[in-house]
Amino acid sequence: MEQRLANTWRMTINEKKFIETSLLSDIRVDGRRPFDYRRLTINFGREDGSSEVQLGQTHVMGVVTSQLVQPYRDRPNEGTLSIYTELSPMADPSFEAGRPGESAVELGRIIDRGLRESWAVDTESLCVVAGKVVWSIRIDIHILDNGGNLVDAANIAALAALSTFRRPECTLGGEDGQEVIIHPPEVREPVPLIIHHLPVAVTFGFIGKENTVVIDPTHFEEAVMGGSMTATLNTNEDVCAIQKAGGVGVLPSVIMQCLRIASVKAGDITSKIKNAVESFNTERSLRKIKRHTSSDVVDVSETARKVDIELSTNHMDRLNLLSEDRRVAQRNDMKVDCQIIQGISKRKSDAKSFSGGPSSWDPYSKGVDSDALRASFASRAVIAPMKKLQDTKVDQPINKELKQPITENNSYVPPIEPIEVTNAKLQTNGEKTLIDAIKPKHRRRKASSQK
Amino acid sequence: MEFVSPEGLRLDGRRPMEMRQLRAEIGIVSKADGSASFEMGNTKVIAAVYGPREVQNRSQQLNDQALVRCEYTMANFSTGDRRRKPKGDRRSTEISLVIRQTMEACIMTHLMPRSQIDIFVQVLQADGGTRSACINAATLALADAGIPMSDIVTSCSAGYLNSTPLLDLNYVEDSAGGPDVTVGILPKSTKVTLLQMDSKLPMDIFETVMQLATEGCKAVANYIHEVLLEKTKQLDKHRGV
């Protein structure tokens, strides 16, 4: 496929002949066999819904964002999915900044057909208020380096980004129940998209007079090939989309053969994507747990694990909850699978409400309830103010009690010191408090390990 | 919704394997080097070819072959609702690219280096299968312009609704959300040059539908050959042979 602009790199006749001749002996320029894919690496960004894919030299980035919009008139109870491709000029000298050229549009439409028409993403679940408000999912694909076969790489980037994307949860509220309230991620866990299947694109190139078929053509092979075909398939042996936009003619038997090969390759790629997504989700849930305990000196989960579960105090259950989180982190499901018997649901929501981390936690906000405060304070090991707490009754709401010591004690004692200082004090205090629930010797062990 | 009745009739009374009525006319745009209009049922399309002529944009000139450009537009009045943007939207850009690459497969571009061939296709009435009608019209227009081609390209679409493969979908059947397979072949060798498919289909059913579309393309090819033969006989008569 020749480029049209004067400043593009043109293939020399020698290079062309070399590629064609070596293909006659089943060798490709980069050493691959005709039906081998290049090395595929899928990385994710820190946020949900951003992916980076490298297929050999081709480097593509995909980002998914969501927005509430009005639905189309003819589809009032379905969300929308739109794909935008940007062929950055840094990727290839023939790409121009600004308006997308033909190849950018074609790329976007191939991926669009594969995802939208094959019902890969469940758009009906994106509906909030039928006919009025739906979620609009926007996939932005940036081509960073054109090493050939942009379609496959961009498709994988889109699929990976969609698989890790989470949209904020929203509920209907307000006076008339028609107002849509979007909950920030700190309040409610964002919801992943429902993806029925992963349509993977596999591109074939037809090179030379005998129309030798190669998979995953590189930039050089693309300049030489007489035609190309992109088949989008999923692992259920369904053909989701095919794009053979002209070019050299091939026999229908060759096409069917290509489709069979493509379904094998699609299976490989799908498993690679799924593995990458799973490890990202694992890492994500681990990260969420760490944020809980990051500012605490006391490694709460460790404490809780060793603590006896039968001790029936709120605080204890909270710590157990956190340790459960750790264990559960291995599973993709972020909802803490609480095995604690007593009063689970309320505490579960409290624990989850802290998943935002210290930056969003305000100890003075009235909205926080006593249970949450008790647990977090204990886990934060701010012992100095707790000292005073021990003199008061346990069942009084802690809000007021804690507020006094903190305001008086302006110097917010750095967490490390109090533990060592007050461990002894904890033991001397005769009155039973929440702190006693934690066996002191574990704290000491933790303090020493923290050093 | 039922697209194939129990008796085996479709919404417009056709059988599943039946194509719509074809009508073609050559030489309708007098200013163009070659032109044709092609009708498939209610879908009506006009194609005009200018070339080979001098390349307008010197930077795009190819020294060893002709430059083929194609522009696909839909008239504002072609669909039920008035269209806001007849060209420049993504679908039109993609179809222009597709038609250009399909015609490039059959035009002997190496015979006309440093020149330009423009194909303009305009949809006057859209009732499904516009892509196929455009390719068929472009083939006729290129033949009318006398541009050397290795073979003609014919195209037809097919779908799969109510568990039946259907040939030549119209707009209602197309927008039903079922699969739509558009095939373009070079009739002499029955090689497939254009193949586009959307929606989901199991592989074995896809093969059946593709074969059905290929048969439709062969039928269109027969009709186009007839039309071209007719036109040539007329030209002969005017020459006074």
Side-chain angles (χ1 to χ4, degrees):
Chain A
M1 304 284 135
E2 288 193 72
Q3 313 289 355
R4 303 285 177 195
L5 302 176
N7 60 348
T8 58
W9 149 90
R10 297 268 169 92
M11 197 69 153
T12 63
I13 299 180
N14 279 346
E15 281 176 316
K16 214 168 169 172
K17 282 224 170 81
F18 184 72
I19 293 179
E20 286 173 13
T21 326
S22 44
L23 267 177
L24 292 175
S25 6
D26 263 3
I27 307 170
R28 289 164 81 169
V29 178
D30 50 359
R32 284 185 286 159
R33 283 169 314 159
F35 296 119
D36 281 344
Y37 251 88
R38 287 173 288 182
R39 209 166 69 103
L40 173 65
T41 42
I42 305 175
N43 293 318
F44 296 96
R46 256 195 68 90
E47 297 156 9
D48 300 329
S50 87
S51 70
E52 208 180 291
V53 169
Q54 267 189 304
L55 182 62
Q57 298 269 22
T58 304
H59 200 153
V60 174
M61 197 170 129
V63 178
V64 178
T65 47
S66 64
Q67 205 189 8
L68 284 174
V69 296
Q70 260 196 343
Y72 288 132
R73 252 176 309 141
D74 52 347
R75 308 230 171 160
N77 57 345
E78 279 180 26
T80 61
L81 180 75
S82 44
I83 300 178
Y84 293 88
T85 48
E86 175 141 343
L87 267 56
S88 159
M90 76 172 165
D92 192 293
S94 63
F95 295 160
E96 277 179 353
R99 266 209 73 168
E102 275 180 338
S103 34
V105 172
E106 193 194 359
L107 177 68
R109 281 190 61 93
I110 296 177
I111 301 177
D112 188 85
R113 263 206 294 270
L115 282 174
R116 185 213 303 263
E117 312 264 345
S118 64
W119 306 104
V121 179
D122 188 79
T123 45
E124 279 180 9
S125 64
L126 298 174
C127 177
V128 181
V129 180
K132 294 217 186 100
V133 180
V134 297
W135 281 107
S136 160
I137 306 288
R138 181 187 158 124
I139 308 175
D140 282 285
I141 302 206
H142 289 261
I143 312 288
L144 304 171
D145 196 355
N146 181 13
N149 198 5
L150 292 174
V151 179
D152 290 9
N155 198 324
I156 296 173
L159 290 173
L162 280 171
S163 308
T164 56
F165 174 68
R166 284 171 195 248
R167 60 169 176 87
E169 190 174 322
C170 59
T171 49
L172 288 175
E175 315 85 41
D176 55 349
Q178 288 293 309
E179 203 183 290
V180 182
I181 307 166
I182 305 179
H183 299 278
E186 296 87 31
V187 176
R188 292 238 194 135
E189 184 71 19
V191 172
L193 294 173
I194 299 178
I195 299 180
H196 296 298
H197 61 97
L198 290 174
V200 174
V202 178
T203 302
F204 297 88
F206 305 107
I207 301 182
K209 285 209 198 72
E210 290 83 25
N211 288 340
T212 329
V213 183
V214 294
I215 253 190
D216 188 19
T218 61
H219 195 39
F220 291 102
E221 286 163 347
E222 275 183 354
V224 176
M225 67 186 179
S228 82
M229 179 171 95
T230 302
T232 309
L233 302 118
N234 63 14
T235 43
N236 303 334
E237 298 268 321
D238 286 333
V239 183
C240 299
I242 297 188
Q243 171 92 345
K244 183 187 187 302
V248 77
V250 288
L251 293 165
S253 53
V254 173
I255 292 183
M256 293 314 295
Q257 196 191 7
C258 287
L259 286 181
R260 280 185 275 271
I261 298 170
S263 79
V264 174
K265 296 292 171 186
D268 287 339
I269 296 178
T270 308
S271 54
K272 278 198 189 129
I273 297 178
K274 286 202 171 135
N275 288 342
V277 170
E278 220 176 273
S279 58
F280 172 78
N281 281 335
T282 317
E283 203 201 297
R284 181 177 183 272
S285 28
L286 275 175
R287 226 189 303 145
K288 286 230 144 141
I289 305 299
K290 285 228 171 72
R291 266 195 287 175
H292 245 295
T293 60
S294 62
S295 66
D296 313 340
V297 183
V298 182
D299 200 355
V300 181
S301 352
E302 258 184 39
T303 323
R305 239 184 272 139
K306 289 159 191 154
V307 177
D308 206 335
I309 295 182
E310 278 134 34
L311 281 174
S312 57
T313 59
N314 291 354
H315 176 56
M316 257 320 303
D317 289 337
R318 180 63 47 77
L319 290 179
N320 252 340
L321 209 67
L322 296 172
S323 73
E324 285 294 317
D325 281 1
R326 254 279 168 83
R327 265 177 259 146
V328 170
Q330 291 312 311
R331 300 177 229 158
N332 286 344
D333 182 16
M334 248 318 283
K335 299 215 184 290
V336 177
D337 202 3
C338 227
Q339 281 142 27
I340 305 162
I341 316 139
Q342 293 160 354
I344 290 173
S345 53
K346 178 165 161 288
R347 272 170 241 126
K348 198 181 353 176
S349 60
D350 293 339
K352 272 207 283 194
S353 72
F354 282 97
S355 58
S359 58
S360 61
W361 182 76
D362 180 8
Y364 307 125
S365 70
K366 305 233 183 327
V368 180
D369 77 336
S370 56
D371 278 355
L373 260 184
R374 237 174 279 158
S376 60
F377 261 84
S379 64
R380 284 171 165 273
V382 178
I383 305 301
M386 286 297 227
K387 261 199 300 181
K388 297 181 190 167
L389 189 79
Q390 287 155 13
D391 299 328
T392 64
K393 274 183 260 173
V394 181
D395 42 358
Q396 271 181 21
I398 293 194
N399 296 11
K400 296 185 218 141
E401 295 159 339
L402 288 181
K403 276 196 177 117
Q404 287 165 10
I406 291 175
T407 47
E408 286 167 55
N409 186 7
N410 282 334
S411 58
Y412 207 69
V413 184
I416 291 207
E417 292 157 55
I419 299 171
E420 299 170 83
V421 169
T422 58
N423 259 340
K425 292 191 183 134
L426 271 174
Q427 286 168 323
T428 54
N429 185 18
E431 203 176 294
K432 283 274 177 220
T433 64
L434 297 169
I435 313 307
D436 291 345
I438 308 165
K439 291 192 189 144
K441 66 171 178 180
H442 300 292
R443 287 210 172 208
R444 241 183 283 131
R445 215 191 297 164
K446 242 176 305 320
S448 51
S449 66
Q450 289 287 348
K451 272 189 265 180
Chain B
M1 192 181 162
E2 211 183 62
F3 294 99
V4 184
S5 74
E7 295 93 33
L9 291 177
R10 287 150 78 171
L11 291 170
D12 50 3
R14 284 186 284 154
R15 299 245 158 232
M17 310 276 190
E18 206 182 306
M19 266 190 73
R20 291 178 287 184
Q21 202 189 36
L22 300 173
R23 260 202 70 203
E25 231 181 274
I26 304 188
I28 44 166
V29 178
S30 52
K31 209 70 168 72
D33 292 330
S35 61
S37 104
F38 199 86
E39 283 177 63
M40 287 171 100
N42 285 331
T43 301
K44 184 165 170 166
V45 154
I46 291 189
V49 168
Y50 288 84
R53 55 180 178 178
E54 187 162 343
V55 182
Q56 282 162 347
N57 193 350
R58 263 305 174 82
S59 64
Q60 295 178 352
Q61 187 174 294
L62 295 169
N63 289 325
D64 56 343
Q65 53 177 297
L67 177 73
V68 180
R69 286 196 326 149
C70 177
E71 202 175 272
Y72 164 95
T73 56
M74 292 185 80
N76 282 350
F77 45 81
S78 58
T79 50
D81 302 319
R82 188 184 165 84
R83 286 184 78 84
R84 285 171 299 139
K85 264 211 310 179
K87 56 181 173 181
D89 65 318
R90 285 145 61 89
R91 181 173 171 271
S92 300
T93 314
E94 194 212 351
I95 299 184
S96 304
L97 172 81
V98 164
I99 298 179
R100 187 190 87 219
Q101 284 178 203
T102 311
M103 304 324 293
E104 265 181 345
C106 66
I107 298 176
M108 296 173 132
T109 48
H110 57 276
L111 293 178
M112 300 160 285
R114 287 185 283 274
S115 67
Q116 174 175 307
I117 299 174
D118 289 320
I119 308 173
F120 299 107
V121 186
Q122 171 106 337
V123 178
L124 299 177
Q125 267 173 247
D127 186 27
T130 54
R131 210 171 306 209
S132 306
C134 288
I135 291 176
N136 296 330
T139 298
L140 277 172
L142 284 168
D144 185 36
I147 291 175
M149 294 195 281
S150 56
D151 196 355
I152 60 170
V153 183
T154 59
S155 164
C156 189
S157 65
Y160 188 77
L161 288 168
N162 289 143
S163 319
T164 338
L166 303 174
L167 181 61
D168 199 8
L169 304 171
N170 58 21
Y171 181 71
V172 182
E173 291 165 343
D174 200 356
S175 44
D180 174 20
V181 179
T182 306
V183 173
I185 63 167
L186 301 160
K188 264 202 295 209
S189 50
T190 61
K191 282 193 172 169
V192 175
T193 170
L194 167 71
L195 176 58
Q196 280 190 309
M197 191 207 120
D198 58 12
S199 191
K200 230 178 357 161
L201 259 190
M203 229 193 293
D204 40 358
I205 300 182
F206 166 75
E207 195 172 353
T208 323
V209 176
M210 187 172 81
Q211 273 167 359
L212 180 61
T214 313
E215 293 301 314
C217 294
K218 288 187 196 153
V220 176
N222 285 338
Y223 178 71
I224 287 185
H225 279 135
E226 265 176 39
V227 172
L228 286 173
L229 206 57
E230 189 63 41
K231 176 78 177 176
T232 316
K233 281 192 185 145
Q234 255 187 8
L235 287 173
D236 255 350
K237 222 166 52 172
H238 291 160
R239 261 184 67 201
V241 169

